[in-house]
Amino acid sequence: MKTVTATIKPQPSVPLDDVILHARRAYGVEGEFHAISAERDQNFRIESGARNVLMKVCAAGEGFALAEAQTLALQHIAFTAPHLPVPRVVRSKAGGAVTALNHGDVDHPVLMLDWLSGDVLGDAAPAHFKHLGTLLAQLGRALRGFAHPAILERELIWDMMQADALRTHCHLLGKAWQTRAEAMLDHFTAETRPHLRKLRAQVIHGDAHPFNVLLGPHGISGIIDFGDLVHAPLIFDLANTIADCVHGKDSFTDIFGELLGAYHAESALERDDVLALVPMVKIRLLMSALIIEMRSAAGMGLTQSIGAVSTTSLTTLDAVIAQEEKLTAHCLHVTGHGPRPAMADVMQRRLQAMGRKPWLFYSKPLHMLRGEGVWLHADDGRAYLDCYNNVAHVGHAHPVVADAVAKQLRVLNTNTRYLTDESIAYAEALKATLDPSLDTVIFVNSGSEANDVAWRMAQAFTGHRGALCMDFAYHGVTAAIDALSPSNYPAGKWQFPHVRQLTAPDVYRGVHGADHPGVGAAYAAMADAPIAELQNQGSGVAFAIMDSAFMSSGILDAPPGYVKGVVERVHGAGGLFVADEVQSGFGRMGSHMWGHQRHGVVPDFVTIGKPAGNGYPIGVIITRAEILERLVAETGTFFSTFGGGNAACAAGLAVLDVMRREGLLANAQTTGAHLMQGLRGLMQRHGIIGDVRGAGLAIGVELVGDRKSKVPLRAETRRVLDLMRDEGVLIGSDGRLGNVLKLRPPVVFKPEHADQVVNALDRVLGRL
């Protein structure tokens, strides 16, 4: 992480004669030289006939790379926003943008810029705040996309992201303020900066205060002094400007509103940007006071660009603190990010718009605003650790996936009736992870559709009409697949004559325990009866479908040989086997990319959905060419309008890329093992835990009355979900008896997150 050395660096002190000589030799510029006060550089206005220029002799310690970055930034602005009133670079006689002036055997970088006419805005600002706010937004947009290593790596005492570097100088403010200032900076370090790192950031001007803004006869005529360019949250430019504009004022609600409103109208700010504004105005005012005192202590006095003594900064800071709540509410109102409606109002809107059954996770609903990595942020101001959502497979709002989709949507998003590079590349990438026999990829929009199409193909290929699924299985919501999802129905309501349920291979509470010799084969043999029933009624077996993690069955550890034994029986009956990898695929099980590989079988179909696009709708069937060709022969061509769209495939490719680059398959295995170890450790203290099982980052914790009777605790399980929510950890539940805690986090989960889950569950179970 970039750090700042909180020291005041002296200005250059090059004699005027040397400056005049360098201007003549390097630039061919002669005229009348006028020194201009500055904080770090030696600046000179040169009246040279009809053309006036500004010559900047930079401190040697700033380096030539940073001087070059200034010129490149100005050139970038000249290209992206030529209307903006910023200086233009004057090149040397040799064509360079930066020259070297040697004084005392030290080379100083020198810049020559066009002189912008006008008087500094100073205190005569209020009537021009709207124009300034608009120009700031345009300047931020003009700098978007510009980067330079010297700016990314620079040490700048005014960099607000490193405000805590000034903490050791708080004693300069006197006893009355020292403790307050230290507390402010400690809060910044612990609370504010972690949130700032999540905001939009780029290279910004960094110092557009009233003495760096020029006023002409028709409004603002210039924004000058690009010496504080820094890579920081975009909102800092506005915070700096507001802080320096309210400096010494008694009332400043209008100043906030005018500058912010104009900025937001030109370049929309996000709610989190706006919430950071007042805290950063406070930090800027505190930094101004500290740096002024540091300059004074170093015997450097006060410069015109700073423009006020520290006591004025602190007085203004006091006033901002007193009005912070009011100012924040005003800023939210100005930008349309007003106070969030009450939860009851949101719920009422939900019920009226989406039906009277809310179908929510917790007894106290959560109103989610955004997600990042393994965290979900709610409107109660809390960040919740997500240990449940498999849709955001590589983490909520992963920037690589989001950028891939956004970029593709700006270029092309059409269907597979055309040749499209993204669909071909994604199909090839998926096939490379599977057995070579699975040579054909069909795109749809969801896991439900993928299973639905697999069902159609299986019927066409086998000529049979019967199906097998696990008891209490879930495979989707289409009419055909609903019949293969008994978990969609209350007890006794599921009735589909063409489907039979297979007994789950539950070695914890099933008919065959883990100590049964050949337990996998024994459970597989239980498939014989339902297969015979389908054959005897004339349906036959078109396919059997299975989730390799047995999620809805309670996240079971299927004993070795079970899945293989069932597949052999299905094939023997002339049927096909579908590995539904929506929940178990993409490395979730840790040891293999796909769940069926962990069981040592090669399916006839692999179906995937939700996690494939990290939330962007994707559904895929991977099968054999002969199976698809049979469907086409019977029904004609198969096509899905949105299946295989460019943006969807871009998302899919990005997910695979992230998994590879971040080592997420290995992470699922190591973090999953760490989480499993911690959960099993809880069994020593909590008899309510009957079993902990699973693989990788798919783990189930079964809650029972006692380990001998194994009485399932459905109500207590629901209670645990709510209590874990109160602890800031989100988990789910599953299983036919409703007593299995379901831990299925994004695969970017780390051991420290696993520890948080274990510690929270320990506290919750202790309170039951």
Side-chain angles (χ1 to χ4, degrees), residues 84 130-144 202 223 234 237-238 259-269:
L84 283 176
K130 284 187 178 180
H131 191 191
L132 178 55
T134 299
L135 289 177
L136 275 178
Q138 293 174 350
L139 181 58
R141 188 161 58 238
L143 283 168
R144 186 186 303 165
Q202 62 172 75
I223 297 177
L234 184 62
D237 254 348
L238 190 57
L259 282 162
L260 174 59
Y263 190 109
H264 182 66
E266 181 69 26
S267 182
L269 292 166

Side-chain angles (χ1 to χ4, degrees), residues 150-167:
I151 296 175
L152 296 174
E153 298 166 5
R154 77 178 303 187
E155 292 186 0
L156 180 66
I157 197 170
W158 286 99
D159 182 358
M160 289 204 293
M161 283 297 282
Q162 306 301 326
D164 52 347
L166 303 177
R167 191 182 186 282

Side-chain angles (χ1 to χ4, degrees), residues 372-580:
E372 181 182 21
V374 297
W375 301 97
L376 282 169
H377 297 263
D379 76 338
D380 59 6
R382 258 184 112 175
Y384 291 84
L385 183 63
D386 186 358
C387 195
Y388 178 76
N389 287 288
N390 70 318
V391 177
H393 189 68
V394 297
H396 293 280
H398 197 292
V400 172
V401 182
D403 289 348
V405 172
K407 180 180 178 182
Q408 188 60 52
L409 286 173
R410 287 193 293 266
V411 177
L412 175 69
N413 192 32
T414 187
N415 59 64
T416 55
R417 291 293 182 102
Y418 305 98
L419 292 175
T420 56
D421 294 334
E422 291 73 27
S423 60
I424 297 170
Y426 188 42
E428 291 171 340
L430 288 173
K431 285 172 55 179
T433 67
L434 293 161
D435 188 86
S437 65
L438 295 164
D439 57 13
T440 300
V441 176
I442 303 104
F443 291 112
V444 286
N445 305 295
S446 69
S448 294
E449 290 178 75
N451 288 330
D452 191 290
V453 174
W455 170 238
R456 289 177 58 192
M457 286 193 286
Q459 291 179 87
F461 188 79
T462 65
H464 300 158
R465 296 294 180 267
L468 296 167
C469 66
M470 299 306 306
D471 65 1
F472 208 68
Y474 175 79
H475 295 288
V477 296
T478 69
I481 301 306
D482 179 67
L484 301 169
S485 302
S487 64
N488 288 347
Y489 292 83
K493 297 292 185 180
W494 181 89
Q495 291 183 349
F496 293 93
H498 69 291
V499 183
R500 292 294 185 277
Q501 296 184 47
L502 299 175
T503 300
D506 186 347
V507 299
Y508 175 68
R509 65 166 63 247
V511 293
H512 302 303
D515 56 351
H516 184 285
V519 62
Y523 271 112
M526 297 177 73
D528 290 336
I531 290 173
E533 289 178 15
L534 290 173
Q535 290 174 323
N536 292 337
Q537 73 182 26
S539 299
V541 179
F543 81 8
I545 187 168
M546 197 177 291
D547 159 26
S548 302
F550 299 89
M551 287 277 187
S552 57
S553 299
I555 315 177
L556 303 179
D557 283 329
Y562 170 72
V563 176
K564 188 174 183 179
V566 171
V567 172
E568 289 173 349
R569 285 170 167 79
V570 170
H571 284 164
L576 303 176
F577 177 67
V578 180
D580 182 336

Side-chain angles (χ1 to χ4, degrees), residues 25-42:
R25 287 179 174 176
Y27 295 92
V29 172
E30 296 186 78
E32 190 174 341
F33 283 67
H34 303 276
I36 300 173
S37 91
E39 185 184 2
R40 292 193 307 277
D41 304 328
Q42 266 185 290

Side-chain angles (χ1 to χ4, degrees), residues 9-24 26-27 33-46 53-64 66-68 70-71 97-104 106-113 115 225 227:
K9 298 178 181 178
Q11 291 175 272
S13 56
V14 180
L16 180 58
D17 288 345
D18 290 357
V19 173
I20 293 172
L21 182 61
H22 185 77
R24 181 189 309 128
Y27 295 92
F33 283 67
H34 303 276
I36 300 173
S37 91
E39 185 184 2
R40 292 193 307 277
D41 304 328
Q42 266 185 290
N43 289 344
F44 299 89
R45 177 186 178 187
I46 308 174
V53 295
L54 175 72
M55 183 173 174
K56 296 176 71 70
V57 181
C58 304
E62 295 272 281
F64 280 80
L66 199 54
E68 176 192 60
Q70 266 192 75
T71 65
V98 181
T99 60
L101 193 167
N102 185 276
H103 171 65
V106 174
D107 284 337
H108 294 271
V110 175
L111 310 180
M112 190 83 77
L113 306 171
W115 179 264
D225 192 357

Side-chain angles (χ1 to χ4, degrees), residues 35 183 206 231 267 297 460 468 581 602 681 696:
H231 188 279
S267 182
L468 296 167
E581 296 285 358
V602 177

Side-chain angles (χ1 to χ4, degrees), residues 14 39 47 56 73-74 80 95 174 195 207 278 309 349-351 381 389 409 575 578 630 641 746 751:
V14 180
E39 185 184 2
E47 294 182 10
K56 296 176 71 70
L74 289 169
T80 57
H195 291 291
D207 199 27
V278 178
V309 295
R349 288 178 57 205
R350 161 81 176 239
L351 296 175
N389 287 288
L409 286 173
V578 180
R630 185 72 62 85
T641 300

